[in-house]
Amino acid sequence: MFKSKFNSMKILSIVALMLFFAFSSAVANNSVSNCVNVEVASPDAEVKKLVQYMIKAYNLNPDQQMKVKEAAMKMASDAAAQKPIKKAERTKLQDSFSAAMSTTLTAAQLAQYKSALNGEMGKMLNTIIDVAAK
């Protein structure tokens, strides 16, 4: 009887050990994949987000899309050249982008753009500047 209990305990211990290794391996693989999937923000990626947002929000035509992208890329490269960015420089960069938008967008689109500057649009412009200035 003692031998059968001992064998059962050995089998149970082996099964528990196998489950422990399987679980720890799964946890380790998950943490490695989480680390690998971390995206580093780049000015290009942020500009792309801005352009995609403006395409949807303002129904931009292809010519407008290209001009928005060019203006945003210019803002990013100017921000990278001026790092670190102070508040006055940030305002100048945003004003320069807005000036480009005033010649790119229609009157209705421009009104919508100006009203969004204190919200999502302003955040996106600041993100482009911040990422470019790093």
Side-chain angles (χ1 to χ4, degrees), residues 22-102:
F23 177 76
S24 61
S25 175
V27 168
N29 285 339
N30 189 27
S31 67
V32 168
S33 68
N34 285 344
C35 291
V36 172
N37 288 335
V38 173
E39 291 183 23
V40 177
S42 72
D44 291 343
E46 296 303 321
V47 166
K48 184 176 181 179
K49 286 180 192 176
L50 174 73
V51 172
Q52 292 301 317
Y53 172 80
M54 290 184 73
I55 289 170
K56 290 179 184 175
Y58 307 122
N59 195 26
L60 301 178
N61 64 41
D63 185 51
Q64 289 174 315
Q65 293 173 27
M66 186 174 50
K67 288 179 180 178
V68 167
K69 182 178 179 181
E70 289 170 355
M73 291 301 290
K74 181 178 179 345
M75 182 179 67
S77 66
D78 290 349
Q82 296 179 18
K83 55 183 166 182
I85 299 291
K86 295 179 183 168
K87 187 174 181 175
E89 293 163 337
R90 178 181 300 275
T91 302
K92 285 180 186 177
L93 291 168
Q94 290 175 347
D95 288 347
S96 175
F97 181 80
S98 291
M101 293 304 96
S102 69

Side-chain angles (χ1 to χ4, degrees), residues 8-22:
S8 297
M9 290 295 285
K10 271 174 56 175
I11 292 171
L12 187 59
S13 296
I14 290 171
V15 169
L17 190 59
M18 289 171 54
L19 287 173
F20 171 76
F21 284 128

